[in-house]
Amino acid sequence: MKVKMDAFGEATTKFLQWLNEVGLVKISPKVSVEDRRKVNEGRCVVTTDNVQAKEILFEIPRGSILNVATSKLGETYPEIGKVLLEEMGHWEGLVLCLLYEMNALKEKSRWWDYFSILPERGCLQTLIYWPDEELELLRPSLIVDRVGKNDAREMFDRIKGYVTEFSGEFAEEIGGFTWEDFLYVASVIMSYSFDVENAITEDKELVEENQSSNVKNDGYMKSMIPLADTLNSDTKKCNANLTYDIENLKMSATAEIQKGAQVYNIYGDHPNAELLRRYGYVEWDGSKYDFAELPLSLILQKITQYFNVDAELIEALLDIMKERRQFFDLFEGEEVIVSSYDCYRDAQLPLEGVLLIQILCLFLQKSNAKTIKGLEREKELFMIAQKSIELLKSSRVTKKCLKLWEICVEARLSNYPTHAFREVCPDHESYCDIENLRQLMVDRVLQSEVESLQDCLFALDLDFRSVDDSTAFDSIQKRKRVQKKQKMVKKVKKQN
């Protein structure tokens, strides 16, 4: 009996045929494309035999990837092609190329059978598609502030300006340019594109440092890579890697892969929150790179309350550390004062945040902390910063710094709802209900951040030895006496 294949299967079959006949992709007989929709993984690549490390899984000619150099747009309209390479940004250029290939050329596009396996409109789960009320479920994660809807609108307006400028036949061919068109294409690029290094040839000109950033000069092109983007990503299971040479892109195994196992790539060192924002999924057992953010504003609020000082004094101290060159040199160019500090799932502490707390703790315990001003304030703050760095380098912090660290992390944990402290266990039916799936992904993101904060809560106490704050002050005073004595000796020598 002949079983009728569904549209999903038919699209997969045509795509595989395209890879072989049009894309000229060399695919190892040890891999195949499978349907994993039942577990919300869509199409994926699996092994049909044991694979050894460094074995090539497939090889794609550079001419078969889609970017501003290979798209028919630049060839059909050379004047637009010049703008794509020399004026437009990587994102804007690829958006226009995809629009032209999908909306103007359609079945005539070389990549049409590839487009048929990309997600349909309405199926993408990236955060830019979420309504505001659903985004608010992600609070208190700071990822909500980085969804980028305003930035997307600005990019849409820029591209629309180019479309209007080009006008004529091109504008007619793509059938207008709507926000919905842009949102879909930009989301596909966000989820599936790669930054591919340009092929190096003997006659390639060296790019001068003063040349402007554009597709022509930057040494890479944002590209769509058929089949490579079919691999799912997993931060813990990654077992393949994409490499380049002059003519081809090669996906190779980075470890032994058993028969029947899935081949995984990695999209970057992203926590679950960022995976959801960019790609519309989460890792249910947590990302290897999960972290939670400890906002500077919360740290300053707790320090202000703990020492009962005015916020203006704290801000003045921060301004000194940000603006004075001696602090830049002392911190060796590292940014100690940032908007938030990353607390990682593996208890990897944000040492810049700990250093800031240590500096402020010591300064605000000074008896004249509220009255000292001007150059004397700068000198005192600098000596305390020096001592604070010495403490951290020797794996020590003062007891008040340790206490304040725990106060800040506990305050951050209190921002999260109670369900963020429970394990998320989705079942297969959950994947079919978008609202339920989104709620589960929200819960998993929040759980990932809670786990990260919990790991870091007592990490400072475990990894660092605490000392009395008075001991640190005694050390600073001793250094002052030594410096004063050295100055007097120099003065006497100069007089003699």
Side-chain angles (χ1 to χ4, degrees):
M1 182 176 69
K2 190 174 182 179
V3 179
K4 185 178 179 181
M5 189 180 298
D6 65 5
F8 188 92
E10 288 179 1
T12 302
T13 300
K14 287 182 179 179
F15 172 59
L16 293 174
Q17 186 177 356
W18 178 89
L19 288 171
N20 181 51
E21 298 177 1
V22 181
L24 303 179
V25 179
K26 298 176 183 178
I27 305 175
S28 167
K30 293 185 178 182
V31 296
S32 67
V33 176
E34 274 195 10
D35 178 0
R36 294 282 180 93
R37 284 175 293 173
K38 288 184 178 180
V39 289
N40 198 39
E41 292 183 349
R43 293 178 183 84
C44 65
V45 175
V46 298
T47 57
T48 57
D49 199 350
N50 293 336
V51 172
Q52 300 300 311
K54 298 184 180 180
E55 196 169 338
I56 296 175
L57 306 175
F58 51 85
E59 193 170 332
I60 308 169
R62 282 182 176 271
S64 295
I65 68 177
L66 175 54
N67 53 40
V68 297
T70 60
S71 171
K72 197 75 173 176
L73 176 57
E75 180 183 334
T76 307
Y77 299 99
E79 70 282 6
I80 297 179
K82 182 177 173 62
V83 173
L84 291 174
L85 288 171
E86 299 180 6
E87 295 183 24
M88 298 183 73
H90 293 268
W91 275 88
E92 290 89 340
L94 190 53
V95 166
L96 270 186
C97 288
L98 275 174
L99 280 171
Y100 182 72
E101 298 284 342
M102 289 179 171
N103 293 3
L105 297 183
K106 298 181 180 178
E107 291 88 348
K108 295 179 181 179
S109 169
R110 184 186 182 197
W111 292 275
W112 184 251
D113 288 327
Y114 163 57
F115 296 151
S116 67
I117 69 159
L118 293 175
E120 297 178 0
R121 298 192 185 209
C123 293
L124 291 164
Q125 297 299 323
T126 49
L127 290 183
I128 201 162
Y129 276 104
W130 290 32
D132 290 343
E133 58 270 21
E134 289 188 337
L135 284 176
E136 281 304 309
L137 297 174
L138 275 167
R139 296 287 183 188
S141 175
L142 301 189
I143 199 67
V144 177
D145 301 322
R146 292 195 289 273
V147 173
K149 288 187 176 181
N150 291 335
D151 292 339
R153 278 286 179 185
E154 290 175 6
M155 184 185 292
F156 169 68
D157 290 337
R158 287 198 302 274
I159 299 175
K160 194 169 185 179
Y162 279 110
V163 172
T164 302
E165 181 183 332
F166 297 146
S167 64
E169 187 178 349
F170 167 73
E172 293 177 8
E173 280 194 281
I174 65 170
F177 180 54
T178 66
W179 168 249
E180 289 71 25
D181 288 333
F182 166 77
L183 198 58
Y184 171 70
V185 172
S187 296
V188 165
I189 292 172
M190 170 78 85
S191 299
Y192 291 92
S193 68
F194 294 73
D195 289 340
V196 179
E197 295 176 10
N198 295 341
I200 300 174
T201 59
E202 291 182 1
D203 60 349
K204 181 180 178 181
E205 295 180 358
L206 294 175
V207 178
E208 297 179 5
E209 292 184 3
N210 61 352
Q211 284 185 309
S212 60
S213 173
N214 57 33
V215 175
K216 183 179 179 181
N217 292 338
D218 287 348
Y220 72 93
M221 290 189 185
K222 190 165 287 293
S223 307
M224 305 296 292
I225 308 180
L227 190 56
D229 58 15
T230 308
L231 270 66
N232 283 320
S233 168
D234 193 291
T235 57
K236 300 187 184 78
K237 300 175 184 177
C238 179
N239 51 20
N241 182 47
L242 190 66
T243 58
Y244 317 116
D245 62 28
I246 293 176
E247 296 181 352
N248 301 292
L249 287 74
K250 301 174 183 178
M251 186 67 74
S252 304
T254 58
E256 292 184 8
I257 308 175
Q258 298 300 309
K259 178 181 178 180
Q262 189 169 166
V263 181
Y264 289 99
N265 197 356
I266 187 170
Y267 297 157
D269 301 349
H270 300 310
N272 257 335
E274 192 66 16
L275 291 176
L276 182 56
R277 182 184 79 87
R278 289 171 176 256
Y279 309 111
Y281 78 95
V282 298
E283 294 182 10
W284 295 112
D285 59 347
S287 165
K288 179 180 178 181
Y289 304 103
D290 270 333
F291 65 80
E293 295 174 83
L294 188 61
L296 174 64
S297 57
L298 184 147
I299 292 174
L300 300 184
Q301 178 192 51
K302 293 304 172 184
I303 289 177
T304 301
Q305 293 172 353
Y306 188 84
F307 289 105
N308 191 27
V309 294
D310 292 334
E312 290 78 6
L313 172 57
I314 306 290
E315 288 298 329
L317 298 176
L318 297 186
D319 287 342
I320 291 171
M321 287 188 278
K322 287 187 289 187
E323 295 172 4
R324 300 297 184 267
R325 176 71 195 189
Q326 64 263 38
F327 285 92
F328 178 85
D329 294 337
L330 180 63
F331 298 149
E332 298 179 348
E334 295 291 332
E335 286 192 89
V336 172
I337 303 168
V338 294
S339 60
S340 64
Y341 300 90
D342 299 339
C343 300
Y344 279 86
R345 179 71 174 83
D346 60 359
Q348 181 182 335
L349 292 165
L351 295 182
E352 293 83 4
V354 176
L355 175 60
L356 179 64
I357 292 174
Q358 181 64 84
I359 293 170
L360 293 177
C361 268
L362 286 176
F363 187 90
L364 294 174
Q365 289 180 73
K366 288 178 58 62
S367 59
N368 60 348
K370 298 179 181 180
T371 57
I372 187 174
K373 296 184 184 298
L375 188 58
E376 192 61 29
R377 173 188 280 179
E378 290 182 24
K379 289 180 179 179
E380 288 289 338
L381 186 61
F382 185 77
M383 294 194 73
I384 285 173
Q386 283 181 311
K387 182 59 184 178
S388 298
I389 291 173
E390 286 178 10
L391 286 169
L392 263 65
K393 283 184 175 180
S394 60
S395 298
R396 294 177 297 161
V397 291
T398 64
K399 290 181 178 179
K400 279 190 168 57
C401 174
L402 177 62
K403 177 65 176 176
L404 262 167
W405 169 258
E406 292 174 358
I407 287 173
C408 290
V409 177
E410 286 174 344
R412 183 73 173 110
L413 279 166
S414 71
N415 294 156
Y416 289 81
T418 55
H419 60 79
F421 293 78
R422 295 194 295 267
E423 186 176 354
V424 179
C425 299
D427 53 37
H428 293 331
E429 293 182 0
S430 302
Y431 301 130
C432 302
D433 183 341
I434 294 299
E435 288 187 8
N436 188 33
L437 176 60
R438 286 184 176 179
Q439 180 62 63
L440 286 170
M441 290 194 292
V442 165
D443 292 347
R444 178 62 254 195
V445 166
L446 298 184
Q447 181 191 342
S448 290
E449 296 189 0
V450 163
E451 289 171 344
S452 301
L453 289 166
Q454 288 174 329
D455 279 2
C456 287
L457 178 57
F458 300 113
L460 192 61
D461 191 22
L462 293 172
D463 297 344
F464 287 71
R465 182 167 61 89
S466 63
V467 298
D468 289 335
D469 291 71
S470 59
T471 302
F473 275 117
D474 289 343
S475 177
I476 294 171
Q477 290 302 118
K478 182 178 179 180
R479 178 175 295 171
K480 279 185 181 180
R481 290 193 296 268
V482 170
Q483 289 181 352
K484 186 176 181 181
K485 184 177 180 180
Q486 288 173 342
K487 285 183 180 180
M488 290 184 65
V489 170
K490 286 181 181 181
K491 185 176 181 181
V492 171
K493 285 183 177 180
K494 189 175 180 181
Q495 289 175 346
N496 292 336

